[in-house]
Amino acid sequence: MRYSLLVALLSALVLTLFISSLMIGRNPLPIWQAAQASLHDTSSIVAIILTEIRLPRALIGLSVGATLGLCGAAMQGLLRNPLASPDLIGSASGAALGAIIVLYYGWQANFSYLLPLASMVGALLTTLLIFVLTGRSAGITTLILAGVAINALMGAMMSLLLNLAPSPYAMRELVLWTLGDLTDRSMDDFWLMLPFTVLGWLLLLGIGHGLRALSLGEQTASTLGVQTLWLRWRILLAIAFALGAAVATTGMIGFVGLVVPHLLRPLVQYDPARLLPVSALGGAALVLAADIGVRLIPSESTLQVGVLTALVGAPFFLHLILRSRYEQI
Amino acid sequence: MLIHAHNLSFSYAQQTVLDDISLSLQAGQLIGLIGPNGASKSTLLKLLAGLYKPQQGDIQLLGKPLSAWPARERGRVLAWLEQQGAIHWPLSVERLVALGRLPHLTPWQTISAVDEAAIEHTLEATNVLHLRKRSAQTLSGGERSRVLLARALAGQPRVLLADEPIAMLDLAHQLQIMQLLRDIAQGEAGVIVVLHDLSLAARYCDQLYLLQQGRVVAQGTPPQVLTEALLRKVYGVECAIQWGHIPSITALYPVP
Amino acid sequence: MVFRFSLWLSLFLMLFSGGSGAENAPPQRIVSMNLCVDQLLILLAEPQQIAALTQLAHDPDASYYYQKALAYPTNKGLAEEVLPFKPDLVIAGEYAHVATVQLLKKLGIPVETLPIPNSLNEVFNNIRRIGELVGQPERATTIIQQMQQRLAQASAPVSNAPLVVVYEANGYTVGDASLRGEILHQAGWQNAATQLGINSYGQIALEDLIRLKPLALIDSPYRAGTYSRAQALLAHRALKSSAFSPHIIQIPSKLTICEGPWLIDVIEQLQAERLKLTVGTTP
């Protein structure tokens, strides 16, 4: 498929899902009238529902999905490993732990930027730890095992900290962090995550040639003029910024960063550079779709968006492991 | 002078790997690095490619210290061909070879007509034109070696550092690649190649450096380096050497 | 050692005597296993009748009689904690651990359970019931009568009752068939949650809340000043938008968690808030 056609199709898909996300809610919303109302008369009820409830949800879904796809593609390119993704190796759970420390113990009440910042530090430290643990060209098994250990540790810490948190509601919210949730986020949340998200995305601009060169291994890449150490740090920081902000806002939405780049890779002829923008679009589409899904599935209480992405992603992950086993042996 | 290395020493984990090595590559020269396994031939090549920094000594590339070269500029004049290089994604041969043009591109530049022409020429020269649409991960050992060499040549470097480029190849392809290296090492460009096949080294190289345990044991033209006495000393093997139109070296194992 | 022996002896005796012999004498060592029972015991029983309260009785946010409760030891509702108090009556809540209650009964300790009241009448029943259990029926009757008198004074029929909704962490709310639902009515409000078909208890989505456009929200935060996503909901921007921005009536959680005479205070407060908010509008 032509690259420009693929980008156009994915963009159209994202746009369609974005508008659908605005239309789906507790009650039907005449979206066109609501949009007009929100331009002329910001005080009408439909305008409030559109701009303060549905719009932030769709915008957050869009940007978090894009971040997850992008970070997955960048990490897979950097580690040259189709099974690497920020949620599997533990970056996301580190971010969630950071957010939990700040949110439930009241630190963020005085300074709201502390929430995304703590998440970023969490993501940075866990990713760094994984990079140090697994070395420069991480084998699949090492990477996954390290990820399992980190995820288990972070999960235990999250559970412990929520248990000890002063709020009586804290413990029940573990599921929001482990499975991700977009319910009732506000524009405040979106504005809080946006600068860090954009900063993370900007850091990934122009790394395409570097990732391409890495297809030949780290040393060949550096003889091709790629500053591999700087590239690593850039991707590490980008993941910390964008993923940290995303997880602080929605919790961990699993498998998007794994599945999306992997599905799209053949469509860009395995080019790790072109994979970045299409993975961002694909990730946005997947998260928006999953978030529409959880609102359409009739359930007693709200269903977490990560439930749907995991239902799609986990079998896919098993399939990948199986395939990589045949290829390796 | 393309490369001039002077008194290089390199140690790794408190073990001296290379000891006081000097080497120069002139334009138009094909230099062979030979020696038994563990002689640190590959390490020397990596030092010359700027992948490792020597603890002592200096390396000049085109008259300028190697470490002073900006990475991308250096990539335009010097190519390093890894021994059994990796191909991590099933890229098409065409795209893989195009990676050799990366040092010529700024981060946002795409392949130009000049780049296209260079790629085309290299694909043809390395005899892989017919493979251009194939996935690089489905190639045979010989095809793969040629494609990776094509990648290294696509940037049209003045210096090619090739680490055992013919290790995986059959006889015909070995000759073909050595002839190709010979053809490249003309005019402005020079090649340093790590080889194990001493007959091919004798036949194609202008200069040979015989390494043993990180030291240069002998250096000079093939007849100067490839003597029965030296090979006995370095490899511990009795050899019969015949210099003719096509030089040949027959190894005779010592009778216990 | 002696203590332990006597404990086992008493357990042994209880097992075979089938509980305390004197049915008519009021119990002297009552252990409560429920926060609301704690409150009613402090309200009705003589202090020396109370052997132990629940741990929550010492939580100033949850316990109306927090100060008085500090005088008594507490338990977390485990059988092994309850036994050393050598209770002659254990009163548990409706949703106490079945296993604990069964175990205590098996050991011959009389266990009574107090239902959760869903109306003021059921509140009066609970007060009467505890009064009888602790041997203070007259005290209970007096309290009930006082409450009924104050109630009669406070509530008056209101035409055009304004909309109000209880909105707690995670959007939990109450319907008409609940105690707080009745309290809203008594105070002259109309409960908006019923319009969503919520009968007793339920969750209200933010979008629905905005569509209902209630005049006021009732917030009764338990452990205010702690943080969670659930509690952050009340700070959502949509609730502050100019068209909506409902008045928020704060009622301390210790007044709303359990039943007691203070419920009349709540009704009076809600009355006063309604009058304040509807001043100038047509009655």
Side-chain angles (χ1 to χ4, degrees), chain A:
Chain A
M1 198 187 300
R2 296 253 328 142
Y3 179 62
S4 48
L5 179 65
L6 180 64
V7 171
L9 281 178
L10 282 170
S11 305
L13 180 64
V14 169
L15 188 70
T16 313
L17 288 167
F18 185 84
I19 293 171
S20 314
S21 177
L22 291 176
M23 297 201 316
I24 287 161
R26 296 282 302 173
N27 297 288
L29 187 73
I31 184 143
W32 182 241
Q33 281 148 282
Q36 279 181 320
S38 58
L39 287 178
H40 303 302
D41 170 24
T42 46
S43 62
S44 78
I45 290 293
V46 283
I48 295 171
I49 290 177
L50 180 67
T51 59
E52 298 291 352
I53 296 180
R54 296 199 187 170
L55 186 64
R57 183 169 191 158
L59 283 174
I60 288 171
L62 179 86
S63 51
V64 166
T67 292
L68 296 176
L70 203 53
C71 290
M75 192 175 264
Q76 291 180 8
L78 177 69
L79 299 175
R80 288 149 276 148
N81 189 331
L83 289 174
S85 82
D87 51 320
L88 283 178
I89 71 158
S91 316
S93 55
L97 182 68
I100 284 172
I101 292 171
V102 163
L103 180 69
Y104 291 88
Y105 289 83
W107 301 94
Q108 137 278 7
N110 305 315
F111 179 55
S112 52
Y113 282 106
L114 217 51
L115 181 68
L117 284 173
S119 232
M120 280 170 218
V121 172
L124 185 68
L125 291 181
T126 36
T127 318
L128 207 58
L129 184 64
I130 288 282
F131 279 15
V132 170
L133 274 179
T134 56
R136 301 212 127 200
S137 49
I140 289 176
T141 324
T142 325
L143 206 62
I144 291 176
L145 283 180
V148 165
I150 295 282
N151 275 325
L153 179 67
M154 295 296 147
M157 301 262 282
M158 276 155 68
S159 190
L160 179 69
L161 284 172
L162 285 175
N163 222 322
L164 298 176
S167 169
Y169 308 96
M171 196 54 211
R172 271 178 288 170
E173 295 186 357
L174 181 61
V175 68
L176 301 186
W177 295 101
T178 52
L179 285 171
D181 182 62
L182 287 160
T183 316
D184 293 337
R185 289 301 116 84
S186 72
M187 283 310 281
D188 291 334
D189 295 314
F190 178 66
W191 295 125
L192 196 62
M193 71 176 280
L194 190 65
F196 304 103
T197 304
V198 170
L199 195 61
W201 293 356
L202 287 177
L203 274 170
L204 292 180
L205 278 183
I207 63 162
H209 284 340
L211 290 184
R212 283 184 177 132
L214 277 178
S215 315
L216 296 166
E218 204 156 336
Q219 291 189 318
T220 302
S222 77
T223 61
L224 282 169
V226 177
Q227 271 148 351
T228 48
L229 189 68
W230 167 228
L231 185 67
R232 270 174 103 80
W233 271 103
R234 224 164 120 172
I235 292 174
L236 188 71
L237 287 174
I239 287 172
F241 279 120
L243 187 77
V247 171
T249 315
T250 63
M252 302 190 268
I253 302 173
F255 293 103
V256 178
L258 174 81
V259 173
V260 168
H262 209 84
L263 283 178
L264 293 173
R265 187 170 286 116
L267 300 182
V268 293
Q269 286 79 45
Y270 301 90
D271 181 347
R274 288 187 161 180
L275 186 60
L276 294 173
V278 294
S279 293
L281 290 169
L286 181 55
V287 171
L288 283 171
D291 187 44
I292 290 170
V294 295
R295 281 180 280 176
L296 292 179
I297 291 172
S299 66
E300 273 290 304
S301 57
T302 49
L303 191 64
Q304 272 67 46
V305 63
V307 172
L308 284 194
T309 58
L311 278 177
V312 179
F316 180 82
F317 182 54
L318 294 175
H319 162 77
L320 271 183
I321 291 177
L322 211 63
R323 222 180 60 183
S324 77
R325 210 184 73 187
Y326 290 128
E327 278 170 9
Q328 297 281 307
I329 295 168

Side-chain angles (χ1 to χ4, degrees), chain B residues 56-246:
Chain B
Q56 273 170 38
D58 64 346
I59 303 169
Q60 305 267 329
L61 175 64
L62 302 178
K64 187 166 139 187
L66 186 63
S67 52
W69 281 80
R72 215 151 53 80
E73 265 180 54
R74 189 190 65 205
R76 266 175 251 159
V77 296
L78 184 146
W80 172 71
L81 180 61
E82 192 177 6
Q83 183 183 345
Q84 288 166 29
I87 302 173
H88 286 287
W89 304 111
L91 298 169
S92 71
V93 166
E94 205 171 33
R95 279 168 181 275
L96 186 92
V97 172
L99 295 176
R101 297 301 296 175
L102 284 178
H104 297 269
L105 305 175
T106 63
W108 292 106
Q109 237 174 347
T110 47
I111 299 269
S112 69
V114 179
D115 299 313
E116 293 277 14
I119 293 164
E120 204 72 17
H121 177 254
T122 322
L123 287 173
E124 214 178 319
T126 49
N127 193 14
V128 291
L129 200 55
H130 60 293
L131 301 171
R132 63 190 305 165
K133 298 288 175 198
R134 278 267 295 278
S135 157
Q137 286 187 336
T138 62
L139 301 173
S140 72
E143 289 166 340
R144 189 185 153 96
S145 296
R146 282 181 289 147
V147 166
L148 285 171
L149 178 64
R151 194 285 304 162
L153 295 177
Q156 295 170 320
R158 304 253 331 252
V159 175
L160 174 67
L161 307 173
D163 199 348
E164 294 193 36
I166 57 169
M168 301 281 287
L169 301 184
D170 61 41
L171 193 57
H173 281 119
Q174 284 187 350
L175 292 169
Q176 194 186 0
I177 295 294
M178 286 311 294
Q179 186 58 50
L180 185 64
L181 295 179
R182 184 64 267 177
D183 294 344
I184 293 160
Q186 271 174 18
E188 296 271 274
V191 177
I192 300 178
V193 57
V194 173
L195 289 173
H196 272 304
D197 189 314
L198 301 180
S199 295
L200 289 176
R203 183 169 164 186
Y204 287 102
C205 295
D206 301 313
Q207 288 271 314
L208 292 179
Y209 284 75
L210 177 59
L211 272 73
Q212 187 183 21
Q213 292 179 333
R215 289 168 162 277
V216 176
V217 178
Q219 175 213 335
T221 60
Q224 287 170 326
V225 174
L226 297 174
T227 63
E228 285 161 5
L230 264 173
L231 295 187
R232 187 185 309 123
K233 184 185 154 206
V234 172
Y235 289 93
V237 175
E238 293 290 342
C239 295
I241 301 177
Q242 283 190 328
W243 295 96
H245 178 60
I246 298 174

